[in-house]
Amino acid sequence: MTITKAVILARGLGTRMQKQVSGLRLDPRIKEFANKGWKAFIPVKDGRPFLDYTIFILRKAGLKEICLVIGPEHEAMREYYSRIDEKLPDLSIFFAIQEKPLGTADAVYSARKFVGDESFIVLNGDNLYPKEAIELLRRQKKEICYVAGFEKESLVKNSNFDEDRIKAFAVMEVDDDWNLVRIIEKPEEPEKYRTKRGILINMNLWRFTPDIFWACERIQPHPIRKEYEITAAVQLLIEEKKIPVKVIPISAGVLDLTYRTDIPRIIEKLESLNLHLDF
């Protein structure tokens, strides 16, 4: 089955983005949305929202239907992307409302009506992934679940952040056939999980079957963060042997818009990528 649908998690609260940074000067329009924590909607290169670049790459990768998971307060985002939808005859943009910020699994579950019974891509709205990684997930032939595993060395070399930030990310444990065994958050000994393709980092780029909704309905919230997390739903799929989850190693970088200090670095990276939006 050809994958045509993508779900972008664009709601996040952006609490780290809202924190002021002494000495950092931002354009008033950028500051407006940074103050709100609307990371995906922050204007970056040429004043275009960061999310415009994700939509551009998804189109280039062959995705035809995109669902933005947003909050009830994101009316400005909804109006803006409704206008973009009208401009693009080859793309349809839909919206799913996550009523409360209850975590990534809850956000994915919000898009279940859009997904229906098809496989689909899931990605963060505050990350910009390489087109090649999305195409690689799309091209997989088996109707199972997949996740991109970004090789640590390449991720550090080609992204907008250093190794210190990667220490806060999760790594993947895989078996000899590249089946995902589990995702480990902030491992004390990441070398224990080194594969033939190096240490693989989870950047929340997935291809799911609708089985993920079965798992989202059954997980409990994280004991500390009190959120329903997509990694917990994936772990349940694995433990219950509901459907295999394969890891696809990726040698590339990802742009990560988490802190205000990321904004100038991302603008610089986008300049070097030479992406020319056609909408």
Side-chain angles (χ1 to χ4, degrees), residues 57-214:
I57 285 176
L58 289 173
R59 284 178 70 219
K60 294 298 181 183
L63 279 300
K64 303 294 185 185
E65 300 169 85
I66 295 173
C67 180
L68 305 183
V69 179
I70 58 176
E73 71 278 15
H74 291 146
E75 190 60 35
M77 288 178 63
R78 185 166 188 160
E79 291 176 1
Y80 177 87
Y81 285 106
S82 293
R83 292 195 297 270
I84 295 294
D85 176 51
E86 292 174 359
K87 291 181 181 179
L88 300 175
D90 62 332
L91 182 75
S92 296
I93 299 177
F94 302 83
F95 304 92
I97 305 300
Q98 185 187 22
E99 293 296 336
K100 297 181 180 180
L102 297 178
T104 49
D106 182 71
V108 171
Y109 192 72
S110 299
R112 63 195 183 281
K113 290 183 180 178
F114 163 78
V115 169
D117 59 359
E118 300 178 42
S119 291
F120 61 109
I121 302 291
V122 167
L123 61 162
N124 287 341
D126 55 3
N127 288 139
L128 185 65
Y129 305 90
K131 178 171 70 74
E132 294 74 19
I134 295 165
E135 288 175 332
L136 194 53
L137 289 182
R138 275 196 81 218
R139 286 201 301 264
Q140 302 305 311
K141 299 299 184 184
K142 290 184 179 179
E143 283 300 311
I144 60 174
C145 296
Y146 300 88
V147 59
F150 287 88
E151 298 171 13
K152 178 183 173 184
E153 289 77 9
S154 183
L155 191 61
V156 172
K157 181 180 178 181
N158 297 292
S159 302
N160 64 300
F161 48 84
D162 57 24
E163 193 162 351
D164 283 341
R165 189 181 301 188
I166 286 188
K167 292 176 183 176
F169 293 166
V171 303
M172 299 181 183
E173 181 181 356
V174 303
D175 66 16
D176 292 338
D177 295 318
W178 298 103
N179 293 300
L180 180 64
V181 175
R182 62 185 175 127
I183 291 177
I184 305 97
E185 293 190 45
K186 304 178 185 178
E188 293 183 3
E189 300 179 66
E191 284 296 327
K192 286 175 56 177
Y193 308 103
R194 180 172 288 276
T195 72
K196 291 178 286 187
R197 295 285 297 271
I199 298 170
L200 301 179
I201 307 295
N202 175 37
M203 295 298 292
N204 218 34
L205 177 59
W206 305 87
R207 170 176 155 175
F208 287 131
T209 66
D211 295 288
I212 193 63
F213 301 127
W214 172 91

Side-chain angles (χ1 to χ4, degrees), residues 102 105 216 218-229 232:
L102 297 178
C216 289
R218 288 164 174 78
I219 59 171
Q220 296 299 311
H222 189 279
I224 298 173
R225 291 186 287 274
K226 308 301 181 185
E227 294 183 348
Y228 296 88
E229 299 186 340

Side-chain angles (χ1 to χ4, degrees), residues 9-21:
L9 309 184
R11 172 166 192 171
L13 291 175
T15 52
R16 289 173 290 186
M17 178 61 70
Q18 292 179 46
K19 292 180 180 179
Q20 302 293 325
V21 177

Side-chain angles (χ1 to χ4, degrees), residues 238-261:
I238 295 168
E239 292 173 357
E240 295 295 323
K241 297 181 170 56
K242 183 74 173 174
I243 194 168
V245 182
K246 289 277 189 183
V247 177
I248 308 296
I250 305 286
S251 178
V254 175
L255 300 189
D256 180 57
L257 186 55
T258 298
Y259 304 96
R260 291 186 180 224
T261 51

